[in-house]
Amino acid sequence: MSVEERLNKIVDKEGAVHLTLIDPDSQSPEIAGNIAREAYNGGTDAIMVGGSTGATGTTVEQTVQAIKSACDLPVILFPGNAGGLAPGADAVFFMSLLNSRDVNYITTNQAIGAPIVYKQGIEPISMAYIIIEPGGAAGWVGDARLIPRNRPKLAVAYSLAAKYLGMHYIYLEAGSGSDKPVPVEMVAAVKKAVGQKTKIIVGGGIRDGITAKERVKAGADMIVTGTIVEQVNDIKGKIEEITEAIKS
Ligand code: 1GP
């Protein structure tokens, strides 16, 4: 079964998927492996590996290896650019930052990265990346024309464009460590427009079960959390709080 099929099956069966994001630039591969194991014990469904800065080459490769040996979860690359690709992962979110002003983040890194993905035999999962205010480092690095938080219609417009372009997943990103997660009204409007088949991922600034659950109730199929695993001592307990809140 492909990683995409596996994730979609979890959405069907359990109501939502939880993804733990590990930035290889934030800790040693060994600690990344420990975080992944704890998140696995807390019920997370897959590990994403990536970051906007410093997550390239051997740093990514060694982190992927450490996570693979620490737990039995799929590892999905979440590259900031083509340099974030590395062998050993199960899949890659093959994404285009649709609301970027910079063609590098819309199609050029994708063209540079595609032959690498092909050669390494990593499963590409087609994804639109849409950055919402405040946008964090990803918004700045990706030169995104940030979608205002009070303009759900603009998020819907980009999301429908993503669907019509054939993308399977749509990631609504508020930015890592954001003080404001993507508004519930925006998630609901996007889900209503794109329907069941296109999966909505929501991340950025989600730190507790209630915030995650509200977004799943609004229509998010997958929730990403990253920063919290770097902040709490009880990683398993924190991830459990979120997975228990979002799964039916
Ligand atoms: C960032 O959406 C992810 O790309 C996760 O955000 O670090 O705020 O959980 P946090």
Side-chain angles (χ1 to χ4, degrees), residues 10 13 16 25 42 54 66 76 87-88 99 109 116 146 148 177 192 197 205-206 224 233 237 244:
I10 297 171
K13 274 195 172 165
D25 195 37
I76 306 169
N99 60 325
N109 273 288
I116 303 170
L146 300 173
K192 187 168 176 238
K197 206 173 155 211
I206 298 174
V224 180
N233 291 325
E244 281 172 9

Side-chain angles (χ1 to χ4, degrees), residues 88-158:
D90 300 290
V92 54
F93 280 141
F94 199 84
M95 58 203 207
S96 174
L97 175 42
L98 290 190
N99 60 325
S100 176
R101 296 179 186 87
D102 183 344
V103 71
N104 281 299
Y105 292 97
I106 307 170
T107 55
T108 310
N109 273 288
Q110 291 71 4
I112 294 166
I116 303 170
V117 170
Y118 180 76
K119 238 187 227 163
Q120 292 177 348
I122 308 170
E123 173 192 339
I125 300 177
S126 161
M127 185 170 91
Y129 194 42
I130 302 170
I131 307 190
I132 318 297
E133 282 178 342
W140 188 86
V141 173
D143 197 7
R145 216 146 55 106
L146 300 173
I147 309 272
R149 291 173 52 78
N150 61 353
R151 290 282 180 270
K153 274 188 179 176
L154 292 176
V156 167
Y158 273 106

